[in-house]
Amino acid sequence: MSEQIQISDRGDGVAVLTLDRPERKNALSIALRDEISDALAELASQDGVKVVILTGAGSVFCAGFDLGEFGRIGEREFADRIWASSDRFHRALIEFPLPTIAAVNGPAMGGGCDLALMCDLRIASEAASFSHPEAAFGTVAYGLLHDLIGGSLARELTLTGRAVDAKEAETRGLAVRVVTADALQDEALDLARSIAKRPRDVLLSDKQKIIRRSRHLIRGTLDL
């Protein structure tokens, strides 16, 4: 049984995957990344699923990779586990064969920002923000960001680490809409159900076009 995610079937072809590690701000540990990768593989195999919403428990969408684990990056075997888990996680998201929506309930930081970017659409709470505060040592999913908001702003955000609040995210096209915290889940479900009205085979075909474009933008899943 999963310990760090929750999955719910909301009917009409919509599944919700919730990162459930609020005490750690849903930080992406090896275990959490692997659970997400496993869950996405299972959801992709279910004929009744058409759209998946990803969100976070608590007040933070995702604080990025677990920095406690990065303290062991000098250990060769542990470092290999981190990078293998990361590679699989990124591939599971980018190559997921059906539409994904990030319901960004709060700050999306570092790898959490990349998680939101790797989803097809983003709907944001007024409390949401997008940032890479670890710019001093981390990297940004530049190709995906550039494709979403254009080169000028993508370069600024990549080079400065500046946070984008929900209002600016909507204005710049990073979020399709911004809603109150109380309305986020209902609005995300409405958006998902509007997509799920289409035939699954058509969604699969359209998503393949999106995947091909994403692959063109990156050289590898660790070089987004």
Side-chain angles (χ1 to χ4, degrees):
M1 180 178 295
S2 171
E3 296 182 355
Q4 299 190 38
I5 64 172
Q6 298 293 328
I7 300 173
S8 60
D9 180 352
R10 303 307 296 268
D12 301 318
V14 179
V16 178
L17 190 163
T18 302
L19 281 61
D20 193 16
R21 201 185 179 206
E23 74 285 355
R24 294 288 295 168
K25 300 181 179 179
N26 299 317
L28 294 164
S29 63
I30 292 173
L32 179 53
R33 290 196 301 275
D34 287 349
E35 285 192 21
I36 294 170
S37 298
D38 289 343
L40 289 174
E42 175 61 26
L43 289 168
S45 72
Q46 296 178 12
D47 291 341
V49 174
K50 292 184 175 182
V51 185
V52 175
I53 298 170
L54 292 95
T55 193
S59 60
V60 174
F61 174 69
C62 178
F65 278 31
D66 191 322
L67 297 184
E69 292 186 347
F70 271 80
R72 298 177 59 188
I73 201 70
E75 302 174 25
R76 176 65 180 273
E77 184 174 341
F78 194 78
D80 288 345
R81 287 181 59 203
I82 288 176
W83 301 131
S85 170
S86 301
D87 188 59
R88 180 174 175 238
F89 170 71
H90 290 140
R91 189 176 298 280
L93 283 160
I94 292 170
E95 297 184 351
F96 188 72
L98 290 159
T100 53
I101 299 170
V104 186
N105 54 296
M109 299 175 281
C113 182
D114 295 340
L115 168 57
L117 293 179
M118 287 186 282
C119 291
D120 298 307
L121 300 171
R122 286 146 296 283
I123 183 168
S125 158
E126 292 171 339
S129 61
F130 302 83
S131 66
H132 277 79
E134 82 294 12
F137 61 88
T139 60
V140 179
Y142 178 80
L144 299 175
L145 189 63
H146 183 285
D147 199 44
L148 290 170
I149 62 176
S152 179
L153 183 59
R155 292 176 190 184
E156 179 204 344
L157 298 181
T158 297
L159 296 174
T160 67
R162 178 174 72 82
V164 173
D165 63 20
K167 182 178 180 180
E168 183 181 2
E170 183 179 31
T171 300
R172 301 288 195 170
L174 189 57
V176 295
R177 70 187 69 154
V178 174
V179 299
T180 64
D182 290 342
L184 179 64
Q185 289 301 315
D186 286 343
E187 291 286 339
L189 285 169
D190 284 348
L191 178 60
R193 286 170 177 151
S194 72
I195 295 170
K197 290 178 181 178
R198 304 180 70 211
R200 191 174 190 270
D201 60 340
V202 174
L203 292 173
L204 288 165
S205 177
D206 284 348
K207 185 59 188 282
Q208 280 303 310
K209 298 174 185 178
I210 295 171
I211 291 170
R212 286 196 295 271
R213 171 66 180 173
S214 296
R215 286 173 177 160
H216 174 72
L217 291 169
I218 60 176
R219 291 193 295 273
T221 60
L222 294 180
D223 187 16
L224 304 173

